[in-house]
Amino acid sequence: MNMILPIREGVPIAIADEAVAAGRPTAAELDRLAIPRKTLAHRRTPGRLTPEQSDRLVHILRLVSAAEECLRFRPAALGVAGGSTSARCPAMLRAWMS
């Protein structure tokens, strides 16, 4: 899918909300890696992220998706949300997710 136009227009804030609700990424990770919480709160009024924020969010979502596909795990396998830690998940990745 071509994401250039949606990124240039700014993706809807609901995309970030849905991703956080699914735990990919967590609110803390989104705050640290892409869009600070205060900035995210300010973007709620216009309802869209800026092109730069959209680009960062899309990159993070693609990275998470690629990691899940490549390693064939879901957050529950990492011990997130009550799941058990998978032996297939490298210790470094478990540490990063915590």
Side-chain angles (χ1 to χ4, degrees):
M1 178 195 327
N2 187 351
M3 293 296 298
I4 294 173
L5 186 58
I7 289 173
R8 284 184 183 166
E9 293 176 351
V11 299
I13 194 91
I15 301 294
D17 292 339
E18 289 173 17
V20 169
R24 298 185 210 95
T26 66
E29 290 166 342
L30 186 65
D31 177 49
R32 188 174 64 238
L33 299 172
I35 309 164
R37 289 179 187 169
K38 188 173 181 179
T39 302
L40 194 58
H42 286 277
R43 297 307 309 162
R44 293 201 182 281
T45 301
R48 291 194 169 274
L49 299 173
T50 66
E52 295 81 14
Q53 294 162 344
S54 298
D55 186 52
R56 287 188 299 238
L57 177 64
V58 168
H59 275 88
I60 288 171
L61 296 178
R62 284 182 176 167
L63 177 65
V64 169
S65 178
E68 287 178 345
E69 181 60 31
C70 179
L71 301 174
R72 295 198 178 6
F73 70 85
R74 297 290 183 252
L78 294 173
V80 177
S84 62
T85 303
S86 170
R88 294 182 300 170
C89 180
M92 185 170 64
L93 186 57
R94 286 193 308 269
W96 177 78
M97 292 292 287
S98 63

